[in-house]
Amino acid sequence: MIAVLGLVVGVVVGLVVRPVVPSGFEPYLPIAVVAALDAVFGGLRAMLDGIFDDKVFVVSFLSNVVVAALIVFLGDKLGVGAQLSTGVVVVLGIRIFSNAAAIRRHVFRA
């Protein structure tokens, strides 16, 4: 219940304050969001499988975001930022859909 309350408060604060993302961070924000979604779906899958550990979730969440942003940053420095961004989104997207399929199988017993 605390997590849901925190989510609601965060959304309301975000809508009221309207934070502005600095232009230097704009290429990394979508990648960070996809990486965070991967960690959330992985955590939900682990919870349904009965193996959820909050420490593992936090480390996974933070490391996914940092590693994905670092890969895009290095790609920008090497001049292949768009290709590496696409690669990161594809890999994380595959993981998200894999976790979503496992969640669906668990919930619907199919």
PDB file of all heavy atoms in Angstrom, residues 28 70-85:
ATOM      1  N   TYR A  28      19.300  10.115 -22.793  1.00  0.00           N
ATOM      2  CA  TYR A  28      19.404   9.019 -21.829  1.00  0.00           C
ATOM      3  C   TYR A  28      18.095   8.720 -21.111  1.00  0.00           C
ATOM      4  O   TYR A  28      17.923   7.629 -20.576  1.00  0.00           O
ATOM      5  CB  TYR A  28      20.486   9.335 -20.800  1.00  0.00           C
ATOM      6  CG  TYR A  28      21.778   9.762 -21.434  1.00  0.00           C
ATOM      7  CD1 TYR A  28      22.226  11.070 -21.339  1.00  0.00           C
ATOM      8  CD2 TYR A  28      22.534   8.858 -22.162  1.00  0.00           C
ATOM      9  CE1 TYR A  28      23.403  11.461 -21.952  1.00  0.00           C
ATOM     10  CE2 TYR A  28      23.707   9.247 -22.781  1.00  0.00           C
ATOM     11  CZ  TYR A  28      24.141  10.556 -22.667  1.00  0.00           C
ATOM     12  OH  TYR A  28      25.290  10.937 -23.276  1.00  0.00           O
ATOM     13  N   LEU A  70      25.120   4.282 -19.478  1.00  0.00           N
ATOM     14  CA  LEU A  70      26.558   4.254 -19.795  1.00  0.00           C
ATOM     15  C   LEU A  70      26.787   3.750 -21.217  1.00  0.00           C
ATOM     16  O   LEU A  70      27.621   4.292 -21.944  1.00  0.00           O
ATOM     17  CB  LEU A  70      27.298   3.377 -18.785  1.00  0.00           C
ATOM     18  CG  LEU A  70      28.805   3.293 -18.945  1.00  0.00           C
ATOM     19  CD1 LEU A  70      29.442   4.663 -18.749  1.00  0.00           C
ATOM     20  CD2 LEU A  70      29.385   2.304 -17.952  1.00  0.00           C
ATOM     21  N   ILE A  71      26.043   2.732 -21.632  1.00  0.00           N
ATOM     22  CA  ILE A  71      26.196   2.221 -22.996  1.00  0.00           C
ATOM     23  C   ILE A  71      25.822   3.298 -24.012  1.00  0.00           C
ATOM     24  O   ILE A  71      26.531   3.502 -25.006  1.00  0.00           O
ATOM     25  CB  ILE A  71      25.340   0.951 -23.194  1.00  0.00           C
ATOM     26  CG1 ILE A  71      25.949  -0.211 -22.414  1.00  0.00           C
ATOM     27  CG2 ILE A  71      25.214   0.591 -24.672  1.00  0.00           C
ATOM     28  CD1 ILE A  71      25.087  -1.446 -22.377  1.00  0.00           C
ATOM     29  N   VAL A  72      24.736   4.005 -23.767  1.00  0.00           N
ATOM     30  CA  VAL A  72      24.320   5.068 -24.685  1.00  0.00           C
ATOM     31  C   VAL A  72      25.339   6.208 -24.667  1.00  0.00           C
ATOM     32  O   VAL A  72      25.677   6.763 -25.716  1.00  0.00           O
ATOM     33  CB  VAL A  72      22.907   5.572 -24.339  1.00  0.00           C
ATOM     34  CG1 VAL A  72      22.532   6.771 -25.186  1.00  0.00           C
ATOM     35  CG2 VAL A  72      21.900   4.454 -24.523  1.00  0.00           C
ATOM     36  N   PHE A  73      25.855   6.547 -23.498  1.00  0.00           N
ATOM     37  CA  PHE A  73      26.870   7.598 -23.391  1.00  0.00           C
ATOM     38  C   PHE A  73      28.116   7.229 -24.195  1.00  0.00           C
ATOM     39  O   PHE A  73      28.634   8.049 -24.959  1.00  0.00           O
ATOM     40  CB  PHE A  73      27.224   7.831 -21.921  1.00  0.00           C
ATOM     41  CG  PHE A  73      28.358   8.792 -21.716  1.00  0.00           C
ATOM     42  CD1 PHE A  73      28.158  10.154 -21.864  1.00  0.00           C
ATOM     43  CD2 PHE A  73      29.621   8.337 -21.391  1.00  0.00           C
ATOM     44  CE1 PHE A  73      29.199  11.056 -21.679  1.00  0.00           C
ATOM     45  CE2 PHE A  73      30.672   9.219 -21.206  1.00  0.00           C
ATOM     46  CZ  PHE A  73      30.458  10.579 -21.356  1.00  0.00           C
ATOM     47  N   LEU A  74      28.587   6.004 -24.026  1.00  0.00           N
ATOM     48  CA  LEU A  74      29.766   5.565 -24.782  1.00  0.00           C
ATOM     49  C   LEU A  74      29.475   5.553 -26.279  1.00  0.00           C
ATOM     50  O   LEU A  74      30.338   5.911 -27.087  1.00  0.00           O
ATOM     51  CB  LEU A  74      30.209   4.189 -24.313  1.00  0.00           C
ATOM     52  CG  LEU A  74      30.835   4.126 -22.921  1.00  0.00           C
ATOM     53  CD1 LEU A  74      31.097   2.683 -22.514  1.00  0.00           C
ATOM     54  CD2 LEU A  74      32.106   4.937 -22.861  1.00  0.00           C
ATOM     55  N   GLY A  75      28.271   5.144 -26.647  1.00  0.00           N
ATOM     56  CA  GLY A  75      27.892   5.172 -28.059  1.00  0.00           C
ATOM     57  C   GLY A  75      27.900   6.576 -28.620  1.00  0.00           C
ATOM     58  O   GLY A  75      28.342   6.796 -29.758  1.00  0.00           O
ATOM     59  N   ASP A  76      27.435   7.548 -27.831  1.00  0.00           N
ATOM     60  CA  ASP A  76      27.473   8.946 -28.272  1.00  0.00           C
ATOM     61  C   ASP A  76      28.910   9.412 -28.479  1.00  0.00           C
ATOM     62  O   ASP A  76      29.217  10.102 -29.440  1.00  0.00           O
ATOM     63  CB  ASP A  76      26.783   9.853 -27.253  1.00  0.00           C
ATOM     64  CG  ASP A  76      25.270   9.758 -27.317  1.00  0.00           C
ATOM     65  OD1 ASP A  76      24.749   9.237 -28.321  1.00  0.00           O
ATOM     66  OD2 ASP A  76      24.611  10.198 -26.349  1.00  0.00           O
ATOM     67  N   LYS A  77      29.792   9.034 -27.567  1.00  0.00           N
ATOM     68  CA  LYS A  77      31.201   9.446 -27.673  1.00  0.00           C
ATOM     69  C   LYS A  77      31.888   8.786 -28.868  1.00  0.00           C
ATOM     70  O   LYS A  77      32.793   9.355 -29.455  1.00  0.00           O
ATOM     71  CB  LYS A  77      31.961   9.112 -26.387  1.00  0.00           C
ATOM     72  CG  LYS A  77      31.501   9.910 -25.196  1.00  0.00           C
ATOM     73  CD  LYS A  77      31.680  11.385 -25.447  1.00  0.00           C
ATOM     74  CE  LYS A  77      31.162  12.212 -24.289  1.00  0.00           C
ATOM     75  NZ  LYS A  77      31.121  13.620 -24.586  1.00  0.00           N
ATOM     76  N   LEU A  78      31.456   7.569 -29.212  1.00  0.00           N
ATOM     77  CA  LEU A  78      32.051   6.857 -30.346  1.00  0.00           C
ATOM     78  C   LEU A  78      31.379   7.201 -31.666  1.00  0.00           C
ATOM     79  O   LEU A  78      31.820   6.761 -32.727  1.00  0.00           O
ATOM     80  CB  LEU A  78      31.977   5.346 -30.119  1.00  0.00           C
ATOM     81  CG  LEU A  78      32.800   4.809 -28.958  1.00  0.00           C
ATOM     82  CD1 LEU A  78      32.481   3.346 -28.720  1.00  0.00           C
ATOM     83  CD2 LEU A  78      34.282   4.993 -29.230  1.00  0.00           C
ATOM     84  N   GLY A  79      30.285   7.944 -31.614  1.00  0.00           N
ATOM     85  CA  GLY A  79      29.581   8.339 -32.821  1.00  0.00           C
ATOM     86  C   GLY A  79      28.556   7.329 -33.301  1.00  0.00           C
ATOM     87  O   GLY A  79      28.088   7.410 -34.441  1.00  0.00           O
ATOM     88  N   VAL A  80      28.231   6.366 -32.467  1.00  0.00           N
ATOM     89  CA  VAL A  80      27.238   5.352 -32.838  1.00  0.00           C
ATOM     90  C   VAL A  80      26.119   5.309 -31.797  1.00  0.00           C
ATOM     91  O   VAL A  80      25.575   4.254 -31.498  1.00  0.00           O
ATOM     92  CB  VAL A  80      27.888   3.959 -33.007  1.00  0.00           C
ATOM     93  CG1 VAL A  80      28.792   3.921 -34.215  1.00  0.00           C
ATOM     94  CG2 VAL A  80      28.639   3.557 -31.749  1.00  0.00           C
ATOM     95  N   GLY A  81      25.774   6.458 -31.256  1.00  0.00           N
ATOM     96  CA  GLY A  81      24.786   6.529 -30.181  1.00  0.00           C
ATOM     97  C   GLY A  81      23.427   6.002 -30.574  1.00  0.00           C
ATOM     98  O   GLY A  81      22.780   5.289 -29.803  1.00  0.00           O
ATOM     99  N   ALA A  82      22.974   6.315 -31.785  1.00  0.00           N
ATOM    100  CA  ALA A  82      21.641   5.868 -32.205  1.00  0.00           C
ATOM    101  C   ALA A  82      21.590   4.346 -32.321  1.00  0.00           C
ATOM    102  O   ALA A  82      20.617   3.715 -31.905  1.00  0.00           O
ATOM    103  CB  ALA A  82      21.270   6.511 -33.540  1.00  0.00           C
ATOM    104  N   GLN A  83      22.657   3.747 -32.852  1.00  0.00           N
ATOM    105  CA  GLN A  83      22.677   2.297 -33.011  1.00  0.00           C
ATOM    106  C   GLN A  83      22.718   1.596 -31.659  1.00  0.00           C
ATOM    107  O   GLN A  83      22.012   0.601 -31.446  1.00  0.00           O
ATOM    108  CB  GLN A  83      23.885   1.852 -33.856  1.00  0.00           C
ATOM    109  CG  GLN A  83      23.803   2.275 -35.297  1.00  0.00           C
ATOM    110  CD  GLN A  83      24.358   3.670 -35.548  1.00  0.00           C
ATOM    111  OE1 GLN A  83      24.637   4.428 -34.619  1.00  0.00           O
ATOM    112  NE2 GLN A  83      24.511   4.022 -36.803  1.00  0.00           N
ATOM    113  N   LEU A  84      23.524   2.107 -30.738  1.00  0.00           N
ATOM    114  CA  LEU A  84      23.584   1.482 -29.416  1.00  0.00           C
ATOM    115  C   LEU A  84      22.301   1.717 -28.637  1.00  0.00           C
ATOM    116  O   LEU A  84      21.870   0.842 -27.887  1.00  0.00           O
ATOM    117  CB  LEU A  84      24.794   1.989 -28.629  1.00  0.00           C
ATOM    118  CG  LEU A  84      26.119   1.350 -29.022  1.00  0.00           C
ATOM    119  CD1 LEU A  84      27.253   1.918 -28.184  1.00  0.00           C
ATOM    120  CD2 LEU A  84      26.072  -0.144 -28.866  1.00  0.00           C
ATOM    121  N   SER A  85      21.670   2.870 -28.811  1.00  0.00           N
ATOM    122  CA  SER A  85      20.376   3.116 -28.163  1.00  0.00           C
ATOM    123  C   SER A  85      19.349   2.113 -28.652  1.00  0.00           C
ATOM    124  O   SER A  85      18.591   1.549 -27.857  1.00  0.00           O
ATOM    125  CB  SER A  85      19.879   4.534 -28.457  1.00  0.00           C
ATOM    126  OG  SER A  85      20.715   5.481 -27.859  1.00  0.00           O
TER     127      SER A  85
END
